[in-house]
Amino acid sequence: MTTPPDRPRRGVSLYSFQEEYFLRTMSVEDCVAAAAAMGATGIEIIPEQSIPGYPVVTDEFAERWHGWMAAYGTTPVATNAFLDTKLHADRWLTLDEQVASVRRDIDIAVRLGAGIVKATINFSPEVMAAAAPYAEDRGVRLLLEVHAPFHFSHPWILEHLEVMHRAGPHVLGLMPDMGVHVRRFPRVVSERALRDGANPALVDYIVRTYDDHGDTHALMDIVNYRGGGPVEFGLARQATHYIWTEPKEMLEHLPFIGHVQAKFYEMTDEGYEYSIPYDEIVPVLAGGGFTGYLSSEYEGNRHIQDAFPVDSVEQVRRQQEMLARLLGE
């Protein structure tokens, strides 16, 4: 009998290696092997991205997938589901069609041996409620990603919480993305804007406004009045999509939190994340009794690929080393 963990565990979303996977310098197996080599045993996969022939999971792929899990000592933890509500150009998917799509994604998770399906933020409370009985029958938890600029007090999340409390945390829950804890504006993003020709004074103003917890929603007007162009407008808009919330806000909802997206943009040479204070986040989760997976999700590649080689494996390795240290491993 396996002893239940007494602290959070470490995992990796294969999304982290999207740069190398897209360029075909890493295969799905390579991604699993890289995670395992870092001691990150929980594997999160995006079927739409990583499974040839999706939404069909062939016997061949399923056999290889389970073979990799056995060979590398890893565990399939979560899959990601995307609800394509605009599949048809002339109409929105009906509720029944949306639920059918979710059921298909639940079946894929079961086929891969994962007990969690991440629901993206466009899943409505009605869809979650309608899909809950099927998820329960299949032994899967359907977790809504709480992704910036959404937060636990957002009206949309509050509607979902009502449904979750009715269904129970064993069926429906939350998957907070640590992008809701961005204390400092990501440096890789502002530096990319400068390389793209942004006015340094406006970039500095945007960054300082965010870092000082100023009114980011006023930035686009100010950028306009100060003669900013498309790059500056894009950066100002981006500032409204980062948020800072206190990590302790997760504690109230901990029974419903089944998985954590350990988002990061830049692991520095000194071994910390430039924008997100994991030294505050991890103790909150560990102290609150969270025993699910902290799943690395690297998103810095898109901000540096214009000028620098992308080494997602090294970035994830640094984050995993930091997480292991904070977890006392």
Side-chain angles (χ1 to χ4, degrees), residues 29 47 57 151 160 189:
E29 180 180 5
V57 180
H151 49 84
H160 273 281
V189 178

Side-chain angles (χ1 to χ4, degrees), residues 45-291:
I45 184 173
I46 302 178
E48 187 174 3
Q49 179 187 61
S50 301
I51 299 179
Y54 171 89
V56 175
V57 180
T58 64
D59 291 341
E60 179 188 8
F61 182 85
E63 183 178 344
R64 280 188 289 143
W65 171 259
H66 290 293
W68 297 332
M69 297 298 107
Y72 296 106
T74 49
T75 301
V77 175
T79 65
N80 291 198
F82 297 92
L83 194 52
D84 193 357
T85 52
K86 298 179 181 179
L87 181 64
H88 306 290
D90 59 339
R91 66 177 181 86
W92 199 270
L93 288 187
T94 67
L95 177 61
D96 286 345
E97 288 171 330
Q98 292 180 58
V99 173
S101 176
V102 179
R103 287 184 171 187
R104 181 194 68 198
D105 288 319
I106 289 171
D107 289 340
I108 291 173
V110 172
R111 187 85 189 275
L112 299 180
I116 290 171
V117 173
K118 183 187 84 174
T120 47
I121 197 66
N122 71 325
F123 277 57
S124 70
E126 293 78 13
V127 168
M128 296 285 278
Y134 190 76
E136 185 169 22
D137 287 344
R138 299 289 273 151
V140 167
R141 294 181 76 187
L142 192 58
L143 303 182
L144 181 76
E145 183 182 32
V146 183
H147 191 290
F150 293 83
H151 49 84
F152 292 115
S153 299
H154 191 285
W156 184 246
I157 303 301
L158 294 177
E159 286 187 38
H160 273 281
L161 281 167
E162 290 180 9
V163 174
M164 291 173 189
H165 279 275
R166 291 198 299 268
H170 65 294
V171 183
L172 300 182
L174 301 166
M175 185 184 293
D177 180 291
M178 295 300 94
V180 302
H181 304 302
V182 174
R183 174 170 278 155
R184 293 200 292 179
F185 197 91
R187 180 170 59 179
V188 290
V189 178
S190 57
E191 290 181 347
R192 172 65 186 266
L194 290 171
R195 291 196 300 274
D196 287 342
N199 180 329
L202 288 179
V203 170
D204 181 64
Y205 185 86
I206 292 167
V207 171
R208 283 190 293 107
T209 298
Y210 183 88
D211 289 355
D212 293 341
H213 306 298
D215 185 357
T216 56
H217 291 276
L219 284 172
M220 292 191 70
D221 285 332
I222 294 171
V223 165
N224 179 42
Y225 301 150
R226 295 193 178 280
V231 178
E232 291 88 352
F233 272 110
L235 192 67
R237 184 176 184 276
Q238 189 65 47
T240 67
H241 284 257
Y242 300 126
I243 61 171
W244 163 252
T245 61
E246 289 288 346
K248 65 184 179 182
E249 291 185 17
M250 289 187 284
L251 291 174
E252 178 184 351
H253 307 287
L254 211 54
F256 288 90
I257 295 176
H259 190 77
V260 170
Q261 298 280 55
K263 167 78 61 62
F264 72 103
Y265 304 98
E266 179 192 1
M267 287 299 302
T268 67
D269 292 342
E270 293 73 31
Y272 67 89
E273 214 289 328
Y274 180 82
S275 300
I276 302 172
Y278 277 94
D279 59 333
E280 298 176 30
I281 292 168
V282 173
V284 166
L285 289 167
F290 176 72
T291 58

Side-chain angles (χ1 to χ4, degrees), residues 10 12 17 33-40 312-314 316-318 320:
R10 295 187 289 118
V12 172
F17 306 123
M38 303 169 192
S312 306
V313 174
E314 173 60 16
V316 175
R317 186 198 65 76
R318 291 182 184 186
Q320 286 295 321

Side-chain angles (χ1 to χ4, degrees), residues 305-316:
Q305 60 193 185
D306 65 306
F308 308 106
V310 174
D311 190 346
S312 306
V313 174
E314 173 60 16
Q315 280 287 298
V316 175

